[in-house]
Amino acid sequence: MEQQKRYGHFDDQHREYVITDPQTPWPWINYLGNEDFFSLISNTAGGYSFYKDAKFRRITRYRYNNVPMDNGGRYFYIKDGDTVWNPGWKPCKTPLDFYECRHGMSYTRITGRKQGVEASALFFVPLKKWCEVQKLTLRNDSQATKQLKLFSFEEWCLWNAATDMENFQRNFSTGEVEIENSTIYHKTEYRERRNHYAFYHVNTPIQGFDTDRESFIGLYNEFADPQAVMEGKPRNSHAHGWSPIASHYIEVTLQPGEQKDFIFLLGYVENEQDKKFEAPQVINKEKAHQLIAELDTTEKVDRAFAELCKYWDALLDIYKVKTGNDKLDRMVNIWNQYQCMVTFNFSRSASFFESGVGRGMGFRDSNQDLVGFVHQIPPRARQRIIDIASTQFPDGGCYHQYQPLTKRGNNDIGGGFNDDPCWLIFGTVAYIKETGDFSILDEMVPFDNQPGTEVTLFEHLRVSMNHVIENLGPHKLPLIGRADWNDCLNLNCFSMDPNESFQTTENVTEGTKAESLMIAGLFVVTGKDYVALCKELARRRQDDGGSADVYTAEAERMQQAVDEMIEAVKKDGWDGEWYLRAYDFFGNKIGSNECDEAKIFIESQGWCTMAEIGAEDGMVAKSLDACKKYLECEHGMVLNNPAFSKFIYEYGEISSYPEGYKENAGIFCHNNPWVIIGECIAGRGDDAWSHYAKILPSYVEEKYQTLHKVEPYVNCQMVAGKDAARPGEGKNSWLTGTAAWMWYTVSEFILGIKPDYDGIRIDPCLPETASDYTVCRKFREAEYEITIHPNGQQKGIKSIVLDGQPVKGAVIPYSAGKHIVEVNM
Ligand code: BGC
């Protein structure tokens, strides 16, 4: 195998990925901030910040798909004599004597050295604060005194990231700033309806500044050679319209061996309507002053950073595994969980592939993200469930997306994606199993955010299930609507107009026969969960001396619907060797041996094997074998095979992609775990592991840094499939349901530690070669240290001993406190 160039390596002890060459094959980014204030930061300090919503409250400007790539960010320019350089190499690209970027848990540290000076910048968002801290440390390692000129740089975005990019007839006249000592305030539109501003501060007196981009950079210069920096002379410019920026100018003298810290703060403030101004036209800076005072010394900043690190220690302490396989342990213990937090925070809104203006929070996406996150901060998961359910319609259908700032359903995209309702059950059940908090089901939650429409969350779950059974097609399989999980299988679209959206155009729905086997499988899996939940509720009612009749009846009703669905799949959803994918508008089979192309699809194999439909007749085993035979390749399993070589009007967007990319036979990592879980349920541990390791970032990292292209520490949405020009090339890193599914797969199905209503179910599925391993799992008020002895078995528990006492069955009953568990397979 060709030896690939390496750009970095894992540092597990510090939970960091260390990048040692700034010219990575693609910007390798990290996320700062965990709750309200967020930043994206690349390995050369590119990126931007926003408050809660990447579209409506963009704080700094970023230009996607720029030339050169990844231009714009928080930049420090150091002018040392005639040499101008940046610690992160960009934008000047002055060759450095040393470069290192350490991406850690919600922080990034970038260090550069040039001509005997080291500049190290630590970037993070302190807990519960609305700002990005940039602690820059300059050190003189040379023998001579250094006289340095330091320029900082941020470019303001005019808040709405979408109009910021297009409405220039207005934008060029609205920009306003104020300057007060070492703080530059951005207050565009504050005079009218906005009650928020941003600021950029440094904790030292400055010798100059700039707030007008053209004055600082020069109209025909670039970030790489701003005139003010090149000449070593700030312009002290005051922006009126055009493009406001913030740049501090600081003269720094460093004796040999001397080191100085500079604390820069990029902050965001909201004021009450009646406290907006301290004088006519002058913004009220009280809250900014307060925030600055909290972080104006090295000691305060170090303390805030230590708190952030402690916060992550605690989060990552909840599930810890020791298998002796570093590549597995680092993903489970660090990066997979970290990526789950990030996707939970952003859904699919802001990454280096998602521009932050395209979509808000997805209904299905966010429910799935929950499963990777719920063990970390259950109260946030709880709130998320309520927010999502509030965007549901009374008939169980749902807005496909909502905006995080307003929490309102997004009218541009609307509803009609018929898998959406099932995911609410998926997310809610995961929450209750983790927390034991059944009270969430009694929460009163509106439909479409309309006051007065509130019903219990349980009722939302009920109408979700109903939505599927009230929308069945001619084969008694679920009607697909606009699309199911695969947004690109648009069976009711029929568009030949390139200006129409495949997702939102439904040219014909009347008389549709388009049905989805993916939803059928999803319905069976979530339907069984729903039935189990109803039974659990019935049991609890009885224990409380109440009547369980409603829940018992509901369990029976839905069990029957599930049974009927299973029969429908067995009768009309099986192709002989695998499950069909769908029926199209006219009732023709999709994903069948009878088709010319795309004879087999992964989604229905995943969901129908997870649902164990027809396992007793060998259907599950055959389907899993078919995945290995037709879908698997070196880099994972492709979505469909053979790839579409031409556009099919009846199928929609899926066939619009070139072969091997995205939904047309790309390795859409999100759905690989579905088959892996199917393998685990079937007890085929070797196969499960081999599929899993193929898309596990740490294994890819070892072999394919150049080919893979995107960050080697997280999963990406799609890896080019076997039919592509460059199989193995990754795209759409970070924000993908893959994160949660990889987590769910490894934590619950491979390592086999499954939260359940009354305790933890132990059910691993391992490769035959697996050695003993230990999982430390904090669960509600308990802490379990569980050691598993596989004894060469792939599946099946022989004995469980809890604190020295044998346990009957596979569930360790929950009780608070510390417990030691020994499991033999
Ligand atoms: C979307 C998901 C969708 C998937 C497959 C992703 O980009 O966020 O909602 O299920 O693509 O089409």
Side-chain angles (χ1 to χ4, degrees):
M1 191 192 65
E2 169 203 4
Q3 191 63 38
Q4 298 232 342
K5 181 169 158 52
R6 293 182 72 91
Y7 297 85
H9 56 265
F10 287 102
D11 175 348
D12 293 341
Q13 198 197 332
H14 296 102
R15 300 194 194 117
E16 291 171 337
Y17 193 79
V18 188
I19 301 165
T20 48
D21 179 342
Q23 299 185 61
T24 46
W26 187 256
W28 287 359
I29 74 161
N30 194 13
Y31 286 83
L32 314 177
N34 292 314
E35 225 154 319
D36 295 331
F37 188 106
F38 297 106
S39 300
L40 279 67
I41 182 166
S42 72
N43 58 305
T44 57
Y48 59 92
S49 304
F50 59 92
Y51 171 77
K52 280 193 183 167
D53 190 311
K55 177 174 177 181
F56 289 125
R57 273 304 184 281
R58 189 75 65 94
I59 296 171
T60 53
R61 182 173 285 160
Y62 191 72
R63 296 169 189 81
Y64 276 85
N65 200 9
N66 209 345
V67 179
M69 187 58 195
D70 187 26
N71 234 18
R74 60 293 273 161
Y75 291 138
F76 296 116
Y77 296 90
I78 298 166
K79 187 163 169 27
D80 179 4
D82 288 337
T83 308
V84 177
W85 61 283
N86 314 100
W89 182 63
K90 267 175 76 78
C92 294
K93 299 197 280 185
T94 307
L96 299 174
D97 300 334
F98 173 85
Y99 160 89
E100 186 183 85
C101 167
R102 290 179 169 263
H103 284 320
M105 303 290 105
S106 302
Y107 69 88
T108 287
R109 192 191 300 272
I110 297 179
T111 305
R113 278 185 218 139
K114 187 76 190 167
Q115 292 179 176
V117 175
E118 179 179 283
S120 190
L122 170 69
F123 303 91
F124 70 100
V125 173
L127 295 174
K128 309 268 173 226
K129 296 209 197 314
W130 295 353
C131 63
E132 176 183 309
V133 172
Q134 307 164 354
K135 177 186 167 198
L136 177 72
T137 306
L138 295 180
R139 195 179 67 218
N140 181 1
D141 290 333
S142 78
Q143 306 300 318
T145 300
K146 286 275 183 185
Q147 306 274 4
L148 307 174
K149 293 180 170 180
L150 171 67
F151 295 82
S152 67
F153 178 81
E154 296 269 11
E155 182 177 5
W156 303 115
C157 178
L158 306 183
W159 308 119
N160 180 325
T163 55
D164 184 69
M165 294 192 289
E166 58 184 26
N167 193 6
F168 301 108
Q169 61 81 24
R170 170 178 166 84
N171 294 351
F172 285 162
S173 296
T174 56
E176 290 193 284
V177 299
E178 277 181 39
I179 302 128
E180 182 196 58
N181 303 318
S182 300
T183 313
I184 294 161
Y185 292 87
H186 176 225
K187 59 170 189 176
T188 299
E189 291 186 351
Y190 188 80
R191 65 167 66 220
E192 31 124 346
R193 294 161 300 173
R194 296 189 184 275
N195 66 340
H196 56 89
Y197 61 80
F199 66 86
Y200 194 37
H201 165 85
V202 60
N203 71 338
T204 187
I206 55 177
Q207 284 72 53
F209 61 86
D210 272 295
T211 67
D212 173 60
R213 192 181 76 202
E214 192 177 323
S215 310
F216 179 72
I217 294 186
L219 190 58
Y220 294 107
N221 286 43
E222 299 170 22
F223 289 133
D225 61 353
Q227 274 174 1
V229 177
M230 298 330 267
E231 291 168 21
K233 267 202 283 267
R235 292 351 193 204
N236 298 333
S237 58
H238 194 119
H240 300 281
W242 299 112
S243 292
I245 58 152
S247 170
H248 306 95
Y249 169 70
I250 307 163
E251 290 172 357
V252 187
T253 305
L254 287 177
Q255 301 306 327
E258 196 187 354
Q259 140 173 343
K260 277 187 187 155
D261 290 337
F262 302 87
I263 312 292
F264 292 86
L265 277 194
L266 176 71
Y268 172 86
V269 168
E270 286 183 355
N271 277 335
E272 291 74 45
Q273 202 56 30
D274 57 339
K275 293 197 188 128
K276 274 177 70 170
F277 299 96
E278 63 183 46
Q281 307 253 344
V282 182
I283 59 176
N284 177 352
K285 304 183 184 62
E286 223 175 288
K287 289 188 188 170
H289 291 161
Q290 204 181 318
L291 185 53
I292 289 167
E294 285 164 10
L295 291 157
D296 59 354
T297 65
T298 298
E299 294 67 40
K300 291 180 195 173
V301 164
D302 289 350
R303 217 177 304 135
F305 183 60
E307 279 168 21
L308 177 68
C309 295
K310 250 179 58 197
Y311 171 83
W312 272 104
D313 285 345
L315 284 180
L316 296 178
D317 216 31
I318 297 167
Y319 191 122
K320 275 197 308 203
V321 70
K322 223 167 131 181
T323 65
N325 173 346
D326 288 349
K327 289 204 271 293
L328 177 61
D329 291 2
R330 70 166 62 107
M331 291 320 297
V332 174
N333 294 338
I334 307 170
W335 293 97
N336 193 177
Q337 297 199 55
Y338 183 55
Q339 188 181 3
C340 284
M341 161 77 96
V342 171
T343 46
F344 176 83
N345 283 336
F346 299 110
S347 191
R348 309 295 171 267
S349 68
S351 73
F352 268 31
F353 294 87
E354 302 278 8
S355 62
V357 299
R359 23 185 187 169
M361 315 289 284
F363 192 99
R364 76 158 83 90
D365 294 342
S366 296
N367 272 303
Q368 292 170 77
D369 296 345
L370 256 168
V371 171
F373 174 81
V374 63
H375 66 291
Q376 297 186 355
I377 311 179
R380 284 189 67 200
R382 188 182 207 275
Q383 186 57 49
R384 179 66 57 81
I385 292 171
I386 309 282
D387 291 349
I388 300 173
S390 307
T391 66
Q392 192 171 31
F393 301 117
D395 74 347
C398 324
Y399 273 108
H400 197 47
Q401 288 163 17
Y402 71 97
Q403 282 307 127
L405 197 69
T406 59
K407 297 189 175 176
R408 294 277 162 155
N410 194 331
N411 275 314
D412 296 345
I413 180 124
F417 295 78
N418 283 352
D419 62 317
D420 272 338
C422 291
W423 297 111
L424 188 62
I425 292 151
F426 185 68
T428 308
V429 164
Y431 169 79
I432 300 174
K433 286 188 173 171
E434 178 67 35
T435 57
D437 172 19
F438 284 83
S439 77
I440 191 174
L441 295 171
D442 303 326
E443 287 292 335
M444 297 302 281
V445 182
F447 289 111
D448 190 8
N449 277 296
Q450 295 306 315
T453 61
E454 291 82 358
V455 295
T456 62
L457 180 66
F458 181 78
E459 180 62 14
H460 279 264
L461 300 190
R462 205 177 69 85
V463 297
S464 295
M465 287 272 101
N466 287 350
H467 190 269
V468 178
I469 51 182
E470 285 162 9
N471 288 282
L472 298 179
H475 301 95
K476 300 271 173 266
L477 294 165
L479 287 171
I480 198 167
R482 282 187 173 153
D484 60 24
W485 170 86
N486 191 331
D487 278 337
C488 299
L489 192 59
N490 317 114
L491 302 182
N492 298 309
C493 176
F494 300 105
S495 174
M496 282 307 280
D497 176 356
N499 303 318
E500 283 175 348
S501 150
F502 283 112
Q503 263 85 54
T504 54
T505 307
E506 276 177 305
N507 289 331
V508 217
T509 47
E510 202 63 29
T512 181
K513 296 179 186 165
E515 298 168 295
S516 162
L517 267 300
M518 181 267 158
I519 305 184
L522 174 65
F523 175 79
V524 173
V525 171
T526 50
K528 286 181 188 169
D529 281 345
Y530 179 82
V531 168
L533 176 66
C534 290
K535 288 186 178 161
E536 184 65 26
L537 290 168
R539 193 178 63 80
R540 282 167 189 259
R541 267 285 168 85
Q542 258 159 3
D543 289 354
D544 293 347
S547 159
D549 295 353
V550 216
Y551 293 119
T552 310
E554 183 62 1
E556 278 166 18
R557 180 179 82 98
M558 208 45 66
Q559 184 62 52
Q560 197 185 330
V562 166
D563 292 342
E564 284 166 14
M565 189 67 77
I566 292 173
E567 284 317 308
V569 174
K570 285 164 85 169
K571 179 162 172 284
D572 290 311
W574 181 247
D575 197 52
E577 250 187 285
W578 55 78
Y579 303 95
L580 292 175
R581 174 64 176 88
Y583 284 95
D584 73 9
F585 183 92
F586 307 100
N588 298 319
K589 291 176 183 171
I590 296 184
S592 158
N593 209 11
E594 294 165 17
C595 302
D596 290 341
E597 297 183 329
K599 290 168 182 286
I600 171 171
F601 281 80
I602 197 168
E603 302 99 322
S604 43
Q605 313 317 318
W607 281 99
C608 294
T609 57
M610 278 195 262
E612 297 181 275
I613 298 175
E616 64 289 353
D617 305 327
M619 285 161 68
V620 166
K622 279 191 192 151
S623 157
L624 294 170
D625 288 343
C627 291
K628 281 173 61 179
K629 190 158 162 206
Y630 301 107
L631 303 178
E632 191 182 14
C633 70
E634 186 182 351
H635 304 282
M637 283 174 279
V638 298
L639 192 146
N640 53 289
N641 186 253
F644 292 103
S645 63
K646 47 187 182 303
F647 177 63
I648 303 180
Y649 174 62
E650 293 82 6
Y651 287 15
E653 185 170 0
I654 188 164
S655 57
S656 72
Y657 287 108
E659 295 89 324
Y661 292 100
K662 293 283 286 181
E663 281 88 342
N664 183 15
I667 298 160
F668 217 96
C669 301
H670 186 144
N671 54 42
N672 277 229
W674 299 345
V675 173
I676 302 172
I677 293 176
E679 292 278 10
C680 288
I681 293 173
R684 302 164 33 141
D686 284 331
D687 289 329
W689 175 260
S690 120
H691 287 311
Y692 175 72
K694 280 191 171 168
I695 58 166
L696 193 64
S698 50
Y699 278 84
V700 179
E701 194 263 355
E702 190 188 32
K703 285 205 251 170
Y704 296 123
Q705 298 203 354
T706 316
L707 172 64
H708 188 69
K709 210 172 160 102
V710 291
E711 294 88 338
Y713 34 92
V714 291
N715 273 109
C716 55
Q717 179 209 53
M718 192 229 29
V719 172
K722 55 185 172 177
D723 309 285
R726 272 165 64 84
E729 185 180 73
K731 285 187 190 132
N732 291 16
S733 50
W734 279 101
L735 302 185
T736 160
T738 315
W741 278 101
M742 287 295 273
W743 173 252
Y744 188 50
T745 301
V746 71
S747 65
E748 299 201 13
F749 292 90
I750 295 178
L751 299 172
I753 312 296
K754 287 176 81 56
D756 211 330
Y757 296 121
D758 289 325
I760 294 186
R761 182 176 296 277
I762 309 288
D763 187 14
C765 183
L766 305 161
E768 204 187 305
T769 51
S771 327
D772 294 1
Y773 62 94
T774 302
V775 175
C776 293
R777 179 64 154 95
K778 294 201 167 134
F779 181 64
R780 304 178 198 170
E781 303 299 315
E783 238 181 283
Y784 295 92
E785 188 186 308
I786 306 164
T787 302
I788 315 257
H789 308 277
N791 304 317
Q793 300 301 312
Q794 299 192 29
K795 179 97 169 176
I797 297 297
K798 206 189 267 162
S799 67
I800 301 181
V801 177
L802 167 67
D803 299 325
Q805 300 299 318
V807 172
K808 267 211 205 106
V811 180
I812 319 171
Y814 170 73
S815 70
K818 286 195 178 194
H819 305 284
I820 305 282
V821 183
E822 290 284 331
V823 178
N824 270 292
M825 292 177 63

